[in-house]
Amino acid sequence: MDRKALEEGARRILLTNLRQGVADWNGQEYSFVCPSLTGYPFQWFWDSCFHAIALIHLDPDQAKAELRTLMSAALPNGFMPHIIFWEMEKQPDFLSRNIVGQAGDPHYSSTMQPPIIAYAVERVYRATGDEGFRDAALPALVNFYRWLREIRDPDDDGLIAVIQPEEAGTDCSPKYDEALGLTELSNKGFITALKEIYRAYEPLRGDDRKILAADLFHFEDVLVNSIYAMGLRSLARLLGDSPEAEEFDREADRTRDALVAKCWDEEAGAFFDLSGVAEEPVKTVTISSLMPLVLPDLPRPIVERLVADWVSSPDHFWTPYPLPSVPVSDPKFMPGNPGGFIWRGPSWINTNWFLSHGLRGHGYTDLADTIVGKSYECIEKSGFREYYHPYTAEGLGARDFGWSTLVLDL
Ligand code: GLC
């Protein structure tokens, strides 16, 4: 597949999955790409950010529309939802099978997703030079990152917390098994455990501080915080020379330092999430343990350890089609079709996008090139799928999946 064929394939998906119209519940215009017409027919937060980044290469105006639509769903307090149900007629069935928290309003989830949006806005702004787009985005971004700090970091240590695994975007990762009390290792078991948590959250709905204090599921997640720090840095750059820029730069430093001070495990040579108000390290290595590599200012000895011990080791992440979501050394590693029990083995294009850029930035050009080449091969062999078998490149999960078009940005 040459670049042109790849672009055509990506364009076809982004156009087919494009949803446009006026929402009958709030009269707002929407224009966004849904992750998959069959599996995920709504607007998802971090998917939209990835779609916008891919669209920079095909249709920058649509990239702006995608992000504007996403930001138009922000609440006055700054919060931005993880799923927005612009097209309500499709919604009831989806919600009955799903477990997103509703804060009394059925049009959006009351959960968040990894806060990559300031980075996506920065990329679209840099690609288009459109200052009007940037200036219109800034108030929503400032409010959102302040909301994260004020509401989601109750112990004020620079690390934000999620209240259920889907907020981290890595839904059924084995790192959550213990906190969820998973007894049955399957998607069904996962959904049952989540429903339990939601039942307990019911009386606390709408008050995230109380939900976090209840300590039912409270994760200071390494992937989420790496992306948070990346977003804060972008926001500071977008704000230019101003006191607000300093505020977000300081916060990015604080988050990076907290990741190193509290989540880095020198013995394991990996980063671990902290579970509960008591901040117990969850000593399960997953793709998330590598994510601080996206930070250009991660201390060099840590970068070297992560790369030598984990990323490039065939015993762990270096499979024929890297990088698997769980290292092959983990007894729970599940490379094949997981029946909805996702993030337990297959390789994903979005994490390859984060980590190949991160590795390149740290000077690991060959590793980055290989990850890019292999991601490209996955798509060539199996099309734009949700995730891929890390040994065979077999395409798995949803078909015509939006964020796999991120390959255009590799
Ligand atoms: C799955 C993924 C999540 C993604 C969503 C829509 O739930 O785990 O990260 O945002 O699908 O693609």
Side-chain angles (χ1 to χ4, degrees), residues 155-167:
D155 60 0
D156 194 24
D157 64 352
L159 299 173
I160 55 173
V162 296
I163 60 170
Q164 63 109 315
E166 290 175 323
E167 289 204 312

Side-chain angles (χ1 to χ4, degrees), residues 35 40 44-47 82 113 166 168-172 342-343 348 350 386 401 403:
Y40 306 105
W44 260 262
F45 180 91
W46 75 334
D47 299 67
H82 130 237
Q113 258 195 333
E166 290 175 323
T170 47
D171 310 9
C172 317
I342 55 180
W343 294 102
W348 295 67
N350 69 330
E386 191 176 359
F401 188 69
W403 82 38

Side-chain angles (χ1 to χ4, degrees), residues 31-99:
S31 180
F32 69 94
V33 175
C34 69
S36 140
L37 283 177
T38 45
Y40 306 105
F42 310 106
Q43 186 170 31
W44 260 262
F45 180 91
W46 75 334
D47 299 67
S48 257
C49 297
F50 298 136
H51 298 158
I53 292 166
L55 281 163
I56 289 172
H57 303 276
L58 298 174
D59 184 347
D61 282 340
Q62 186 54 41
K64 288 185 218 164
E66 178 94 26
L67 294 175
R68 276 196 207 104
T69 301
L70 187 61
M71 288 183 280
S72 76
L75 300 192
N77 68 359
F79 169 76
M80 287 190 207
H82 130 237
I83 310 178
I84 307 145
F85 302 99
W86 293 107
E87 293 166 345
M88 279 302 280
E89 63 281 6
K90 295 211 188 93
Q91 189 259 20
D93 174 50
F94 187 86
L95 258 195
S96 67
R97 307 187 267 116
N98 244 276
I99 46 259

Side-chain angles (χ1 to χ4, degrees), residues 206-232:
D207 189 337
D208 283 18
R209 293 297 287 255
K210 278 198 183 139
I211 286 180
L212 284 168
D215 208 8
L216 294 163
F217 186 99
H218 176 298
F219 249 70
E220 285 161 291
D221 189 290
V222 170
L223 176 143
V224 171
N225 281 287
S226 304
I227 293 175
Y228 176 53
M230 187 178 166
L232 289 164

Side-chain angles (χ1 to χ4, degrees), residues 190-204:
F190 173 76
I191 292 188
T192 308
L194 265 194
K195 286 198 166 148
E196 251 337 76
I197 291 184
Y198 270 120
R199 244 191 309 278
Y201 283 164
E202 203 57 55
L204 309 171

Side-chain angles (χ1 to χ4, degrees), residues 11-30:
R11 191 188 302 275
R12 187 181 56 75
I13 287 166
L14 294 167
L15 276 181
T16 314
N17 293 7
L18 185 63
R19 316 300 307 155
Q20 290 180 313
V22 177
D24 46 19
W25 48 277
N26 66 356
Q28 268 191 50
E29 257 184 65
Y30 59 81

